Amino acid sequence: MKFKNRLIVITALVCSIGTVIWYASVSGAVKVQNGAAEDTIEARPVPTTLVTTAGKEIVRLFPGTVKARNSVDLAFSVDGVLVELNGREGRMVHEGEVLARLDERDFRNAHNAAKASFRKADADFKRSDSLFKREVISQAEYDTAKTTRDVAMSEYRISEKALEDTLIKAPYDGVIAQRYVENRQHVKKQVAILGLQDISEIEVVIQVPERLMAQGGVEKFSDISARFDVGGQNWFQGDIKEYSVESDPITRTYAVAIKFKAPVALKVLPGMTATVRATLGNSRESFKAQKAAVGLIPVESVYSGSDGKSYIWLIPDSAGHPRKQEVQLGSMSGNKIEIIGGIEPGRRIAIAGIHSLSEDMFVRPMHEGQEGLDG
């Protein structure tokens, strides 16, 4: 009986040990499998890019507004009734073309009367001159005849100018930008009738920050071109025409006008928007005075920490944990920003989802051309 009880106890003990060993082996296997699954599932794909090398020349983009080469408001120098107005807005006109005309009848009558008076005064003066030379008339009579002739000549020229001023002609080739009055309207002198703009050559006005003006100004601009928003991706070469030496009191920027030949296949009008591209070369003095940029990264890859410093996320080339890295920023150019410290060219950084990353995550670079979690 005792032997039988011992056998039952030993059998139970062996079964218990076997169960423990089986559970441990199964549990270990599950952990290994779960660990492998964890590596696969938690390797979150992150969009990345490589830090590129920064050069001493930087390409910058500036928003701009199109402006006409010349712009003038045309007005009559005399009062009158408008009888002709070729002022349809948007119409192209040529130099010397009649744009507006006043009723000239009163001016012509006054001109004819002044012409007749001058002819009579001139004839009287010629007779007086002949008589004076023969000492028939006095000096006073001669002077009176000469003064009368001179006054009549002035009145004749004034009436002639007034008659000419009943016409407004285009001073240059251009486009009618605005019409201020209607035909058959009585207009006053010096009141604008039409607005004319010369668009044979156009200008694009951009605003340049004072920091750039202080570091060499527009003299450091080269390879200047513009892309008009109405013209797609075509770029047109231009040159700096002029710039202001006083900054805007609100924006603290300086206006710079860049001239372009009007595109042949594109109708660019004043007020349209454009993007100006320029290469900025740093002078040797300003380059030495500042920390040289060592890299360029997309602006969307940088974020500000709670300490007010700037950071990026370093991403492993294969898979692993991201690392938060402080960087020192330089100036911005388009959608790129200079790095003057904290990272070197060639390192891989995150360019999206930067606010959701943490150093305890398991990540990998997203495959090129892929999107989402399958990237």
Side-chain angles (χ1 to χ4, degrees):
M1 186 67 179
K2 291 182 179 180
F3 177 78
K4 184 177 181 180
N5 290 337
R6 286 180 181 177
L7 182 61
I8 293 174
V9 171
I10 292 172
T11 302
L13 182 62
V14 170
C15 290
S16 298
I17 293 173
T19 300
V20 171
I21 295 175
W22 172 82
Y23 178 79
S25 63
V26 171
S27 176
V30 169
K31 286 184 179 180
V32 172
Q33 291 175 3
N34 287 345
E38 180 177 331
D39 287 345
T40 301
I41 294 173
E42 294 187 5
R44 171 182 170 180
V46 177
T48 64
T49 189
L50 298 178
V51 180
T52 58
T53 304
K56 293 185 180 181
E57 291 187 336
I58 301 172
V59 177
R60 296 189 182 275
L61 300 177
F62 302 90
T65 303
V66 177
K67 180 183 175 183
R69 176 187 180 185
N70 293 307
S71 180
V72 62
D73 282 339
L74 303 175
F76 288 105
S77 298
V78 294
D79 298 347
V81 177
L82 197 60
V83 295
E84 182 180 349
L85 183 60
N86 302 314
R88 179 171 53 83
E89 294 181 355
R91 187 172 75 88
M92 298 295 299
V93 298
H94 299 287
E95 181 179 356
E97 182 179 344
V98 175
L99 303 180
R101 184 196 306 270
L102 293 177
D103 187 344
E104 65 177 24
R105 290 176 295 178
D106 292 342
F107 297 97
R108 186 168 295 281
N109 290 337
H111 175 63
N112 290 336
K115 184 177 181 181
S117 297
F118 167 68
R119 286 180 175 177
K120 182 180 181 302
D122 187 55
D124 291 344
F125 169 73
K126 289 178 180 178
R127 284 193 298 270
S128 297
D129 183 59
S130 177
L131 293 173
F132 178 72
K133 289 178 180 178
R134 288 185 290 157
E135 299 182 351
V136 175
I137 61 173
S138 65
Q139 179 72 47
E141 292 174 310
Y142 171 80
D143 291 342
T144 300
K146 183 176 184 299
T147 301
T148 302
R149 192 279 309 266
D150 291 345
V151 171
M153 179 185 295
S154 296
E155 291 177 348
Y156 170 64
R157 289 176 176 172
I158 290 173
S159 66
E160 186 176 47
K161 176 65 167 57
L163 181 60
E164 292 175 355
D165 286 344
T166 59
L167 294 178
I168 290 182
K169 296 182 179 181
Y172 44 73
D173 292 350
V175 61
I176 302 295
Q178 196 164 0
R179 183 182 70 244
Y180 302 108
V181 299
E182 298 297 333
N183 200 16
R184 300 296 175 181
Q185 182 177 334
H186 188 279
V187 296
K188 296 290 187 179
K189 62 181 180 181
Q190 308 305 330
V191 175
I193 302 297
L194 298 170
L196 181 67
Q197 294 181 342
D198 178 7
I199 58 173
S200 60
E201 187 177 87
I202 59 178
E203 298 177 12
V204 175
V205 179
I206 62 175
Q207 301 297 323
V208 177
E210 57 183 10
R211 178 178 55 80
L212 293 183
M213 296 297 285
Q215 296 174 3
V218 296
E219 289 81 4
K220 299 301 178 183
F221 283 36
S222 62
D223 192 23
I224 302 171
S225 59
R227 181 185 66 202
F228 303 101
D229 293 353
V230 295
Q233 299 300 314
N234 296 319
W235 291 88
F236 301 89
Q237 293 296 314
D239 298 292
I240 292 177
K241 178 184 178 182
E242 58 187 2
Y243 58 92
S244 64
V245 294
E246 185 175 348
S247 67
D248 184 281
I250 299 176
T251 63
R252 312 305 302 173
T253 58
Y254 292 79
V256 177
I258 303 171
K259 60 182 180 180
F260 299 86
K261 282 291 183 183
V264 177
L266 186 64
K267 189 175 183 180
V268 179
L269 298 175
M272 291 183 175
T273 53
T275 300
V276 172
R277 180 177 63 191
T279 300
L280 276 63
N282 292 322
S283 65
R284 180 174 299 178
E285 292 76 13
S286 64
F287 190 74
K288 287 181 178 180
Q290 302 178 25
K291 291 183 178 180
V294 297
L296 284 175
I297 62 175
V299 294
E300 60 267 21
S301 63
V302 183
Y303 69 98
S304 296
S306 58
D307 54 2
K309 297 179 181 180
S310 298
Y311 294 92
I312 52 91
W313 284 104
L314 292 172
I315 303 299
D317 286 333
S318 55
H321 297 285
R323 182 164 65 86
K324 181 180 178 181
Q325 175 65 45
E326 179 188 352
V327 290
Q328 290 76 50
L329 304 180
S331 57
M332 190 167 64
S333 173
N335 62 346
K336 297 284 188 178
I337 191 167
E338 296 175 353
I339 295 297
I340 58 177
I343 194 173
E344 62 278 356
R347 297 299 301 272
R348 185 176 295 278
I349 62 174
I351 59 174
I354 57 176
H355 296 288
S356 62
L357 292 175
S358 62
E359 293 186 336
D360 59 352
M361 288 183 175
F362 194 71
V363 299
R364 61 176 173 82
M366 180 179 288
H367 296 154
E368 185 175 358
Q370 301 294 320
E371 297 181 356
L373 297 178
D374 295 330

Coordinates of all heavy atoms in Angstrom, one line a residue, residues 18-87:
G18 N 6.9 18.2 -15.8 CA 6.8 18.2 -17.3 C 5.9 19.4 -17.7 O 6.2 20.0 -18.7
T19 N 4.9 19.6 -16.9 CA 4.0 20.7 -17.3 C 4.7 22.1 -17.2 O 4.6 22.9 -18.1 CB 2.8 20.8 -16.3 OG1 2.0 19.5 -16.5 CG2 1.8 21.9 -16.7
V20 N 5.5 22.2 -16.2 CA 6.3 23.5 -16.0 C 7.3 23.6 -17.1 O 7.4 24.7 -17.7 CB 7.0 23.5 -14.6 CG1 8.0 24.6 -14.6 CG2 6.0 23.5 -13.5
I21 N 8.0 22.6 -17.5 CA 8.9 22.6 -18.6 C 8.2 23.0 -19.9 O 8.7 23.8 -20.7 CB 9.7 21.3 -18.7 CG1 10.6 21.1 -17.4 CG2 10.6 21.3 -19.9 CD1 11.3 19.8 -17.4
W22 N 7.1 22.3 -20.1 CA 6.3 22.6 -21.4 C 5.9 24.0 -21.5 O 6.0 24.7 -22.5 CB 5.1 21.6 -21.5 CG 4.2 22.0 -22.6 CD1 4.3 21.6 -23.9 CD2 3.0 22.7 -22.5 NE1 3.3 22.1 -24.7 CE2 2.5 22.8 -23.8 CE3 2.3 23.4 -21.5 CZ2 1.3 23.4 -24.1 CZ3 1.2 24.0 -21.8 CH2 0.7 24.1 -23.1
Y23 N 5.3 24.5 -20.3 CA 4.8 25.9 -20.3 C 6.0 26.9 -20.5 O 5.8 27.9 -21.3 CB 4.2 26.2 -18.9 CG 3.7 27.6 -18.8 CD1 2.5 28.0 -19.4 CD2 4.4 28.6 -18.1 CE1 2.0 29.3 -19.3 CE2 3.9 29.9 -18.0 CZ 2.7 30.2 -18.6 OH 2.3 31.5 -18.5
A24 N 7.1 26.6 -19.9 CA 8.2 27.5 -20.1 C 8.7 27.6 -21.5 O 9.0 28.6 -22.1 CB 9.4 27.1 -19.2
S25 N 8.7 26.3 -22.2 CA 9.2 26.3 -23.6 C 8.2 27.0 -24.5 O 8.6 27.8 -25.4 CB 9.4 24.9 -24.0 OG 8.1 24.2 -23.9
V26 N 6.9 26.8 -24.2 CA 5.9 27.4 -25.0 C 5.9 28.9 -24.8 O 5.8 29.7 -25.7 CB 4.5 26.9 -24.7 CG1 3.4 27.7 -25.4 CG2 4.4 25.4 -25.1
S27 N 6.0 29.4 -23.6 CA 6.1 30.8 -23.2 C 7.3 31.4 -23.9 O 7.2 32.5 -24.4 CB 6.1 30.9 -21.7 OG 6.3 32.3 -21.4
G28 N 8.4 30.8 -23.9 CA 9.6 31.3 -24.5 C 9.4 31.5 -26.0 O 9.8 32.4 -26.6
A29 N 8.8 30.4 -26.6 CA 8.5 30.5 -28.0 C 7.6 31.6 -28.4 O 7.8 32.4 -29.3 CB 7.9 29.2 -28.5
V30 N 6.6 31.8 -27.5 CA 5.7 32.9 -27.8 C 6.4 34.3 -27.7 O 6.2 35.2 -28.5 CB 4.5 32.8 -26.8 CG1 3.7 34.1 -26.9 CG2 3.6 31.6 -27.1
K31 N 7.3 34.4 -26.7 CA 8.0 35.7 -26.5 C 8.9 35.9 -27.7 O 9.0 37.1 -28.2 CB 8.8 35.6 -25.2 CG 8.0 35.8 -24.0 CD 8.9 35.8 -22.8 CE 8.1 36.0 -21.5 NZ 9.0 36.0 -20.3
V32 N 9.5 34.9 -28.2 CA 10.4 35.1 -29.4 C 9.5 35.5 -30.6 O 9.9 36.4 -31.3 CB 11.2 33.8 -29.7 CG1 11.9 33.9 -31.0 CG2 12.2 33.5 -28.6
Q33 N 8.4 34.8 -30.7 CA 7.5 35.1 -31.9 C 7.0 36.5 -31.7 O 7.0 37.3 -32.6 CB 6.4 34.1 -31.9 CG 6.9 32.7 -32.4 CD 5.7 31.7 -32.4 OE1 4.6 32.1 -32.1 NE2 6.0 30.5 -32.6
N34 N 6.6 36.9 -30.5 CA 6.0 38.2 -30.2 C 7.1 39.2 -30.4 O 6.9 40.3 -30.9 CB 5.5 38.3 -28.8 CG 4.1 37.6 -28.7 OD1 3.5 37.2 -29.7 ND2 3.7 37.3 -27.5
G35 N 8.4 38.9 -30.0 CA 9.4 39.9 -30.2 C 9.7 40.1 -31.7 O 9.9 41.3 -32.1
A36 N 9.7 39.0 -32.5 CA 9.8 39.2 -34.0 C 8.7 40.0 -34.5 O 8.9 40.9 -35.4 CB 9.9 37.9 -34.6
A37 N 7.5 39.7 -34.1 CA 6.3 40.5 -34.5 C 6.4 41.9 -34.1 O 6.1 42.8 -34.9 CB 5.0 39.9 -34.0
E38 N 7.0 42.2 -32.9 CA 7.1 43.6 -32.4 C 8.1 44.3 -33.3 O 7.8 45.5 -33.7 CB 7.6 43.5 -31.0 CG 7.8 44.9 -30.4 CD 8.2 44.9 -29.0 OE1 7.8 43.9 -28.3 OE2 8.9 45.8 -28.5
D39 N 9.2 43.7 -33.7 CA 10.1 44.3 -34.6 C 9.5 44.6 -35.9 O 9.8 45.7 -36.5 CB 11.4 43.4 -34.8 CG 12.2 43.4 -33.6 OD1 12.0 44.3 -32.7 OD2 13.1 42.5 -33.5
T40 N 8.6 43.8 -36.4 CA 8.0 44.0 -37.7 C 6.9 45.0 -37.7 O 6.9 45.9 -38.5 CB 7.4 42.7 -38.2 OG1 8.4 41.7 -38.3 CG2 6.8 42.9 -39.6
I41 N 6.1 45.0 -36.6 CA 5.0 45.9 -36.6 C 5.4 47.3 -36.2 O 4.9 48.2 -36.7 CB 3.9 45.3 -35.5 CG1 3.3 44.0 -36.1 CG2 2.8 46.3 -35.3 CD1 2.4 43.3 -35.0
E42 N 6.3 47.4 -35.2 CA 6.7 48.7 -34.7 C 7.7 49.4 -35.5 O 8.1 50.5 -35.1 CB 7.1 48.6 -33.2 CG 5.9 48.2 -32.3 CD 6.3 48.2 -30.9 OE1 7.4 48.7 -30.6 OE2 5.4 47.8 -30.1
A43 N 8.2 48.9 -36.6 CA 9.2 49.6 -37.4 C 8.4 50.5 -38.3 O 8.1 50.3 -39.5 CB 10.0 48.6 -38.3
R44 N 8.0 51.6 -37.7 CA 7.2 52.6 -38.4 C 8.0 53.3 -39.5 O 9.0 53.9 -39.3 CB 6.7 53.7 -37.3 CG 6.0 54.8 -37.9 CD 5.6 55.8 -36.8 NE 5.2 57.1 -37.3 CZ 4.8 58.1 -36.6 NH1 4.8 58.0 -35.3 NH2 4.3 59.2 -37.1
P45 N 7.4 53.4 -40.7 CA 8.1 54.0 -41.8 C 8.0 55.6 -41.6 O 6.9 56.1 -41.3 CB 7.3 53.6 -43.1 CG 6.0 53.2 -42.6 CD 6.1 52.7 -41.2
V46 N 9.1 56.3 -41.9 CA 9.1 57.7 -41.7 C 9.7 58.3 -43.0 O 10.7 57.9 -43.5 CB 10.0 58.1 -40.5 CG1 10.1 59.6 -40.4 CG2 9.4 57.5 -39.2
P47 N 9.0 59.3 -43.6 CA 9.6 60.0 -44.7 C 10.8 60.8 -44.3 O 10.9 61.5 -43.3 CB 8.5 61.0 -45.1 CG 7.2 60.5 -44.5 CD 7.6 59.8 -43.2
T48 N 11.9 60.6 -45.1 CA 13.2 61.2 -44.7 C 13.9 61.8 -45.9 O 13.4 61.7 -47.1 CB 14.1 60.1 -44.2 OG1 14.4 59.1 -45.2 CG2 13.5 59.4 -43.0
T49 N 14.9 62.5 -45.7 CA 15.8 63.1 -46.7 C 17.2 63.2 -46.1 O 17.4 63.0 -44.9 CB 15.3 64.4 -47.2 OG1 16.1 64.8 -48.3 CG2 15.5 65.5 -46.1
L50 N 18.2 63.4 -47.0 CA 19.5 63.6 -46.5 C 19.9 65.0 -46.5 O 19.5 65.8 -47.3 CB 20.5 62.8 -47.5 CG 20.3 61.3 -47.6 CD1 21.3 60.8 -48.6 CD2 20.5 60.6 -46.2
V51 N 20.7 65.4 -45.5 CA 21.2 66.8 -45.4 C 22.1 67.1 -46.5 O 23.1 66.3 -46.7 CB 21.9 67.0 -44.0 CG1 22.4 68.5 -43.9 CG2 20.9 66.7 -42.9
T52 N 21.9 68.1 -47.3 CA 22.7 68.4 -48.4 C 23.8 69.5 -48.0 O 23.6 70.2 -47.0 CB 21.9 69.0 -49.6 OG1 21.2 70.1 -49.2 CG2 20.9 67.9 -50.1
T53 N 24.8 69.6 -48.8 CA 25.9 70.5 -48.5 C 25.5 71.9 -48.9 O 24.9 72.1 -50.0 CB 27.2 70.1 -49.3 OG1 27.5 68.8 -48.9 CG2 28.3 71.1 -49.0
A54 N 25.8 72.9 -48.1 CA 25.4 74.3 -48.4 C 26.7 75.0 -49.1 O 27.8 74.8 -48.6 CB 25.0 75.1 -47.2
G55 N 26.4 75.7 -50.1 CA 27.5 76.5 -50.8 C 27.4 77.9 -50.3 O 26.6 78.4 -49.6
K56 N 28.4 78.7 -50.8 CA 28.4 80.2 -50.5 C 27.4 80.9 -51.3 O 27.1 82.1 -51.0 CB 29.8 80.7 -50.8 CG 30.9 80.2 -49.8 CD 32.2 80.8 -50.1 CE 33.3 80.3 -49.1 NZ 34.6 80.9 -49.3
E57 N 26.9 80.4 -52.4 CA 25.8 81.0 -53.1 C 24.5 80.4 -52.9 O 24.4 79.1 -52.9 CB 26.1 81.0 -54.6 CG 27.3 81.8 -55.0 CD 27.5 81.9 -56.5 OE1 27.1 80.9 -57.2 OE2 28.1 82.8 -57.0
I58 N 23.5 81.2 -52.6 CA 22.2 80.7 -52.2 C 21.1 81.2 -53.2 O 21.2 82.4 -53.6 CB 21.8 81.1 -50.8 CG1 22.9 80.5 -49.8 CG2 20.4 80.6 -50.4 CD1 22.7 81.0 -48.4
V59 N 20.3 80.4 -53.7 CA 19.2 80.8 -54.5 C 18.0 81.1 -53.6 O 17.5 80.3 -52.8 CB 18.8 79.7 -55.5 CG1 17.6 80.1 -56.4 CG2 20.0 79.4 -56.4
R60 N 17.4 82.3 -53.9 CA 16.3 82.8 -53.1 C 15.1 83.1 -54.0 O 15.3 83.5 -55.1 CB 16.7 84.0 -52.2 CG 17.7 83.7 -51.2 CD 17.9 84.9 -50.2 NE 18.9 84.7 -49.2 CZ 18.7 84.1 -48.1 NH1 17.5 83.6 -47.8 NH2 19.7 83.9 -47.2
L61 N 13.9 83.0 -53.4 CA 12.7 83.3 -54.1 C 12.0 84.5 -53.4 O 11.9 84.5 -52.2 CB 11.8 82.1 -54.2 CG 12.3 80.8 -54.9 CD1 11.3 79.7 -54.8 CD2 12.7 81.1 -56.4
F62 N 11.5 85.4 -54.2 CA 10.8 86.6 -53.7 C 9.5 86.7 -54.4 O 9.4 86.7 -55.6 CB 11.6 87.9 -53.9 CG 13.0 87.9 -53.3 CD1 14.1 87.4 -54.0 CD2 13.2 88.3 -52.0 CE1 15.4 87.4 -53.5 CE2 14.5 88.3 -51.4 CZ 15.5 87.8 -52.2
P63 N 8.4 86.9 -53.7 CA 7.1 87.2 -54.3 C 7.2 88.7 -54.8 O 7.8 89.5 -54.2 CB 6.1 87.1 -53.2 CG 6.9 87.3 -52.0 CD 8.2 86.8 -52.2
G64 N 6.5 88.9 -56.0 CA 6.6 90.3 -56.6 C 5.3 90.6 -57.3 O 4.4 89.8 -57.5
T65 N 5.2 91.9 -57.7 CA 4.0 92.4 -58.4 C 4.5 93.1 -59.6 O 5.4 93.9 -59.6 CB 3.2 93.4 -57.5 OG1 2.9 92.7 -56.3 CG2 2.0 93.9 -58.2
V66 N 3.8 92.8 -60.7 CA 4.1 93.4 -62.0 C 3.7 94.9 -62.0 O 2.6 95.3 -61.6 CB 3.4 92.7 -63.2 CG1 3.7 93.3 -64.5 CG2 3.8 91.2 -63.2
K67 N 4.6 95.7 -62.6 CA 4.4 97.1 -62.8 C 4.8 97.5 -64.2 O 5.7 97.0 -64.8 CB 5.2 97.9 -61.7 CG 5.1 99.4 -61.7 CD 6.0 100.0 -60.7 CE 6.0 101.5 -60.8 NZ 7.0 102.1 -59.9
A68 N 4.1 98.5 -64.7 CA 4.4 99.0 -66.1 C 5.7 99.8 -66.1 O 6.1 100.4 -65.0 CB 3.2 99.9 -66.6
R69 N 6.4 99.8 -67.2 CA 7.6 100.6 -67.3 C 7.3 102.1 -67.1 O 8.1 102.7 -66.4 CB 8.2 100.3 -68.7 CG 9.5 101.1 -69.0 CD 9.9 100.9 -70.4 NE 11.1 101.7 -70.8 CZ 11.6 101.8 -72.0 NH1 11.0 101.1 -73.0 NH2 12.7 102.5 -72.2
N70 N 6.3 102.6 -67.8 CA 5.9 104.0 -67.7 C 4.4 104.0 -67.5 O 3.7 103.2 -68.1 CB 6.3 104.8 -68.9 CG 7.8 105.0 -69.0 OD1 8.5 105.4 -68.1 ND2 8.3 104.6 -70.2
S71 N 3.9 104.9 -66.7 CA 2.5 105.1 -66.5 C 2.2 106.6 -66.4 O 2.9 107.3 -65.7 CB 2.1 104.3 -65.2 OG 0.7 104.5 -65.0
V72 N 1.2 107.0 -67.1 CA 0.8 108.4 -67.1 C -0.7 108.6 -67.2 O -1.4 107.8 -67.9 CB 1.5 109.2 -68.3 CG1 1.1 108.6 -69.6 CG2 1.3 110.7 -68.2
D73 N -1.2 109.6 -66.5 CA -2.6 110.1 -66.7 C -2.6 111.2 -67.7 O -1.9 112.2 -67.5 CB -3.2 110.5 -65.4 CG -3.6 109.3 -64.5 OD1 -3.7 108.2 -65.0 OD2 -3.7 109.5 -63.3
L74 N -3.4 111.1 -68.8 CA -3.5 112.1 -69.8 C -4.6 113.0 -69.5 O -5.7 112.6 -69.2 CB -3.6 111.4 -71.2 CG -2.5 110.4 -71.5 CD1 -2.9 109.7 -72.8 CD2 -1.2 111.0 -71.7
A75 N -4.4 114.3 -69.8 CA -5.4 115.3 -69.5 C -5.2 116.5 -70.5 O -4.2 116.7 -71.1 CB -5.2 115.9 -68.1
F76 N -6.3 117.2 -70.8 CA -6.3 118.4 -71.6 C -5.7 119.6 -70.9 O -5.8 119.7 -69.6 CB -7.7 118.7 -72.1 CG -8.3 117.7 -73.1 CD1 -9.2 116.8 -72.8 CD2 -7.8 117.7 -74.4 CE1 -9.7 115.9 -73.7 CE2 -8.3 116.8 -75.4 CZ -9.3 115.9 -75.0
S77 N -5.2 120.5 -71.6 CA -4.7 121.7 -71.0 C -5.7 122.9 -71.1 O -5.4 124.0 -70.7 CB -3.3 122.2 -71.7 OG -2.3 121.2 -71.5
V78 N -6.8 122.6 -71.8 CA -7.9 123.6 -71.9 C -9.2 122.9 -71.6 O -9.3 121.7 -71.6 CB -7.9 124.1 -73.4 CG1 -6.7 124.9 -73.7 CG2 -8.1 123.0 -74.4
D79 N -10.2 123.8 -71.2 CA -11.6 123.3 -71.0 C -12.3 123.1 -72.3 O -11.9 123.7 -73.3 CB -12.3 124.3 -70.2 CG -11.7 124.5 -68.8 OD1 -10.9 123.7 -68.4 OD2 -12.1 125.5 -68.1
G80 N -13.3 122.2 -72.3 CA -14.0 122.0 -73.5 C -15.0 120.8 -73.5 O -15.0 120.1 -72.4
V81 N -15.7 120.6 -74.5 CA -16.6 119.5 -74.7 C -15.9 118.3 -75.4 O -15.4 118.5 -76.5 CB -17.9 119.9 -75.4 CG1 -18.9 118.7 -75.5 CG2 -18.6 121.0 -74.6
L82 N -16.0 117.2 -74.8 CA -15.3 116.0 -75.4 C -16.2 115.5 -76.6 O -17.4 115.1 -76.4 CB -15.1 114.9 -74.4 CG -14.2 113.8 -74.6 CD1 -12.8 114.3 -74.9 CD2 -14.2 112.8 -73.4
V83 N -15.6 115.4 -77.8 CA -16.4 114.9 -78.9 C -15.8 113.6 -79.5 O -16.5 113.0 -80.4 CB -16.4 116.0 -80.1 CG1 -17.2 117.2 -79.6 CG2 -15.0 116.4 -80.5
E84 N -14.7 113.2 -79.0 CA -14.1 111.9 -79.5 C -13.3 111.3 -78.4 O -12.4 112.0 -77.8 CB -13.2 112.2 -80.7 CG -12.6 110.9 -81.3 CD -11.7 111.1 -82.6 OE1 -11.7 112.3 -83.1 OE2 -11.0 110.2 -83.0
L85 N -13.5 110.0 -78.1 CA -12.8 109.3 -77.1 C -12.5 107.9 -77.5 O -13.4 107.1 -77.5 CB -13.6 109.4 -75.8 CG -12.9 108.7 -74.5 CD1 -11.6 109.4 -74.2 CD2 -13.9 108.7 -73.3
N86 N -11.2 107.7 -77.8 CA -10.8 106.3 -78.2 C -10.1 105.6 -77.0 O -9.0 105.3 -77.1 CB -9.8 106.4 -79.4 CG -10.5 107.1 -80.6 OD1 -11.6 106.8 -81.0 ND2 -9.7 108.0 -81.2
G87 N -10.9 105.5 -75.9 CA -10.3 105.1 -74.7 C -10.9 103.8 -74.1 O -11.1 103.7 -72.9

